[in-house]
Amino acid sequence: MHPLDSIASPGLWAATVIGLLALLAMDVWLTRRPHEVAMGEALRWTAFYLALPFVFCGFLWWVYGGTPAIEFLTGFVVEKSLSVDNLFVFMLLLASFAVPPALAQRVLLYGIVGALVLRAVFIALGAGALATGTWVFLLFGAVLVWTAIRVLREAGEGPEATLDVDDMRTVKLLRRWLPVTKEYDGFKLVTRIDGRRALTPAALVVTAIFMTDIVFAVDSVPAVYGVTEDPYLVLATNAFALLGLRALYFVLHDALGRLRHLNYGLGIILAFIGVKLVLHWAHGIWSWVPEIPTVLSLGVIVVVLAAVTGTSLWASRSDRRRPGVGGEPADQRGDLVGNLVQRGEPGRGARVGPHGPADQSRDLP
């Protein structure tokens, strides 16, 4: 075994962890009172959390040089694009469990904290595996290529994919063994009814979100290790990509359904990084095998994301010019959640579909 090279000193690790905990504490304080988030508030915090990684990138460039800074920026773009897919599934779960708008941001915060904890665990496991040898790059590359094929296949299936939270094994297990109330009780995950403890619907949705975090961590951690082998930069990219999701949710709430080609882009990016990892592994054995530079990777990722965003917006604009389904004007179909939820109540899930990225059909625990 050989330790992985990292730019981070113990002091930088400590400062980063303290800063991360401070940002999480600030989010907990901001969500202490239930309230619906206005667009102005969401835009301000989204701008703040989008500015932070660029400030951090500037710090890396100033102190450690251009290579770590470019690796961080590339990894951040990858993780941010994957987190939008994560955000869409969060939206589906909140809609299917009929989470009140005033409670949505606290539930999202629970999901983000869970995602950060899981990413830290998977990053540590990935670093330990990479320390054993370069064969792990081949494994990670194969995982990403397989994931890309699955994502592209699901994207090609079109609007028929669905997500039924009633079929999630963890949700069914909780309902079978523990009493669940029909109404939310503020932020409480556990409440009392007739002197007995019972779970609230908030506990179900938080559990469902936590389990989806596991699925997404399996995809995202190998992807960013395809950009940099530095565990510190891997953790930093994940942290900066996830921290702003709570505010970004309310900014993109109505726009996510229009990003219909997002999964095609994510599939291409995952396949590209998977090939990059395989080439990196092969280069270590046969020096004549070419490697893909990080700067080129950043360019490819940005171009792919710009392309699928452009084609998605063009397709949505074309839909608005045509009459809607069933005689309904096309411009009246913009309420994503209203169209997604076919049935649902706080204590029971709802089948969700058919609009939005096809990855909503992912087999969740």
Side-chain angles (χ1 to χ4, degrees), residues 49-69:
Y49 279 115
L50 285 178
L52 277 182
F54 289 97
V55 172
F56 184 75
C57 182
F59 163 77
L60 291 177
W61 197 299
W62 178 49
V63 177
Y64 300 102
T67 299

Side-chain angles (χ1 to χ4, degrees), residues 10-329:
L12 183 58
W13 273 106
T16 302
V17 172
I18 292 173
L20 177 60
L21 292 176
L23 288 171
L24 289 175
M26 180 181 68
D27 269 356
V28 171
W29 182 80
L30 290 171
T31 60
R32 69 193 186 281
R33 295 176 182 172
H35 70 281
E36 294 190 37
V37 179
M39 181 59 70
E41 177 185 351
L43 285 171
R44 287 192 296 272
W45 284 109
T46 297
F48 170 76
Y49 279 115
L50 285 178
L52 277 182
F54 289 97
V55 172
F56 184 75
C57 182
F59 163 77
L60 291 177
W61 197 299
W62 178 49
V63 177
Y64 300 102
T67 299
I70 293 297
E71 289 180 352
F72 166 79
L73 183 60
T74 305
F76 171 75
V77 173
V78 170
E79 289 301 309
K80 199 65 177 179
S81 60
L82 292 174
S83 71
V84 172
D85 196 30
N86 199 339
L87 194 64
F88 188 86
V89 175
F90 285 1
M91 180 181 292
L92 297 181
L93 291 171
L94 265 64
S96 62
F97 280 105
V99 177
L103 303 182
Q105 60 175 343
R106 176 55 69 92
V107 172
L108 285 169
L109 181 59
Y110 290 149
I112 291 168
V113 171
L116 283 169
V117 172
L118 287 169
R119 299 293 171 87
V121 172
F122 276 79
I123 289 168
L125 293 174
L130 287 172
T132 65
T134 59
W135 63 271
V136 180
F137 289 115
L138 181 61
L139 175 62
F140 282 179
V143 169
L144 291 179
V145 171
W146 177 82
T147 302
I149 293 172
R150 186 189 65 198
V151 169
L152 290 171
R153 185 178 65 247
E154 292 172 349
E157 290 175 356
E160 297 303 321
T162 59
L163 169 65
D164 191 345
V165 295
D166 284 328
D167 289 336
M168 293 183 66
R169 290 181 289 274
T170 50
V171 172
K172 290 194 292 187
L173 186 64
L174 285 174
R175 287 190 179 128
R176 178 178 302 174
W177 293 104
L178 297 170
V180 180
T181 65
K182 292 185 178 182
E183 302 295 334
Y184 287 87
D185 187 7
F187 292 143
K188 293 181 180 179
L189 302 181
V190 179
T191 189
R192 283 186 176 274
I193 295 183
D194 298 329
R196 296 181 57 192
R197 291 185 180 273
L199 298 179
T200 67
L204 295 184
V205 67
V206 167
T207 301
I209 287 176
F210 187 78
M211 298 310 296
T212 63
D213 287 337
I214 296 176
V215 177
F216 282 102
V218 173
D219 295 343
S220 66
V221 171
V224 74
Y225 267 121
V227 175
T228 176
E229 298 176 37
D230 188 332
Y232 173 78
L233 293 179
V234 174
L235 178 64
T237 57
N238 275 269
F240 279 111
L242 289 171
L243 279 173
L245 282 188
R246 179 183 61 81
L248 190 62
Y249 169 89
F250 298 98
V251 173
L252 296 181
H253 186 275
D254 294 325
L256 278 174
R258 300 187 182 98
L259 298 178
R260 62 184 66 185
H261 300 156
L262 175 63
N263 270 45
Y264 291 103
L266 295 180
I268 293 171
I269 290 171
L270 289 173
F272 173 78
I273 298 176
V275 171
K276 182 178 185 293
L277 280 170
V278 172
L279 290 176
H280 180 68
W281 165 79
H283 181 79
I285 300 176
W286 305 288
S287 59
W288 53 267
V289 175
E291 289 193 279
I292 300 175
T294 302
V295 174
L296 177 60
S297 300
L298 177 59
V300 169
I301 292 165
V302 170
V303 168
V304 169
L305 290 175
V308 297
T309 300
T311 58
S312 296
L313 295 177
W314 179 82
S316 296
R317 188 178 300 113
S318 298
D319 283 349
R320 287 196 296 271
R321 293 172 181 170
R322 296 196 301 266
V325 178
E328 184 182 68

Side-chain angles (χ1 to χ4, degrees), residues 154-163 342 351-358 360-361:
E154 292 172 349
E157 290 175 356
E160 297 303 321
T162 59
L163 169 65
Q342 298 172 0
R351 181 172 296 277
V352 181
H355 306 291
Q360 59 191 280
S361 65

